[in-house]
Amino acid sequence: MDYLLGWIIVLLIGAAAGWIAGQILKGYGFGLAGNIVVGILGAVIANWLLPLIGVHIGGGVIAAIVNAVIGAVILLLVIGFFKK
């Protein structure tokens, strides 16, 4: 049950982060399903990249969303760069 709940939380955080990143970068959204994927990938990117450059936001749900949004924005910018 905890495993399933963990995945549901990841999907919700990913959806929120993808939606927020889509709002920050108007015109870069991919719809709800695409934004969930971008948010989840963004969270992975941010959790890998931010500590490498010395940025530590903290723990908790809000920090996870902020991390995921930062990563999703980075991902959307990279995708937008190659898309043009």
Side-chain angles (χ1 to χ4, degrees):
M1 186 62 156
D2 290 336
Y3 181 75
L4 179 62
L5 183 61
W7 275 105
I8 291 171
I9 290 170
V10 167
L11 290 175
L12 290 174
I13 289 174
W19 180 80
I20 293 168
Q23 295 300 309
I24 292 171
L25 300 172
K26 294 285 187 189
Y28 286 86
F30 292 101
L32 181 60
N35 285 350
I36 291 172
V37 172
V38 167
I40 292 169
L41 291 175
V44 171
I45 290 169
N47 285 330
W48 168 74
L49 182 63
L50 294 179
L52 286 177
I53 60 175
V55 177
H56 301 281
I57 294 177
V61 174
I62 300 299
I65 291 172
V66 170
N67 272 341
V69 168
I70 292 169
V73 166
I74 292 169
L75 182 59
L76 285 174
L77 288 173
V78 169
I79 290 170
F81 177 74
F82 285 110
K83 199 173 181 182
K84 292 181 180 181

